[in-house]
Amino acid sequence: MTAQHEGQSPKPARSTTRRTLVTTELLDQATQLFAAKGYESTSLQDIADAMCISRPALYHYVRSKDDLLAMLVEQVSQNLADVLADLAARADLSPTQKLRELTGLLVRQRVQHPAQFRILDQSEKLLPEPADTKHVEAKRRVLREMTAIIDAGVATGEFIPVPARTAALSLLGMCNWVAWWIKPGAEVEPIVATLTGFAQRMLASTADGRPATPADALREIRTNLDWLEQRM
């Protein structure tokens, strides 16, 4: 009996992994179709055809296009808000380090899945409940976390005295705009390095925008070395 149970235990994990992979592909295919044909003109059959599956098989994952919008909210908004909340709560990182990590997370998501962000941004007025409420709250959480990090940096002297909410909105706008100008196949890390550098220099209390602490300087050096090693 024990051996049987041990042999059966991995199945739920495999099932969850497969569902995650299929859901990610489903969202990518759906957002590409929404971008090309428009949300209203795209049918579930179009999405099933793009996935190379039957429409009944598609129903294992979504029952309507509203379900897809709800999935986008979870993937783009809620997951990001959860990750940023965990990052903001870390006591081992300085405000400068948190700012760089947060900016990097935002930029990577926008670079890797730009269509998802664009479609969600364009479809906000179409979001059904409770997805609409969850989306709005997730956006507020992201803004709160970034504002709190900037406030903390001002308090420690790492950042120049600025209205934290205004600065946070400016940084979010910079990161979000990547989804609109990024080209397919673009390298992620050079873009991340550039924009995290912009974010740090915009707020750094040092006149030349250098890292505020030796630990921050070492972290930046390691990041640059990792990027160079990938290209050697």
Side-chain angles (χ1 to χ4, degrees), residues 142-157:
V142 170
L143 178 59
R144 283 199 302 268
E145 299 298 352
M146 183 169 274
T147 300
I149 290 171
I150 294 172
D151 269 332
V154 172
T156 62

Side-chain angles (χ1 to χ4, degrees), residues 188-207:
V188 176
E189 292 311 310
I191 297 172
V192 170
T194 297
L195 295 192
T196 53
F198 285 165
Q200 182 173 327
R201 287 190 291 273
M202 184 176 81
L203 292 172
S205 59
T206 54

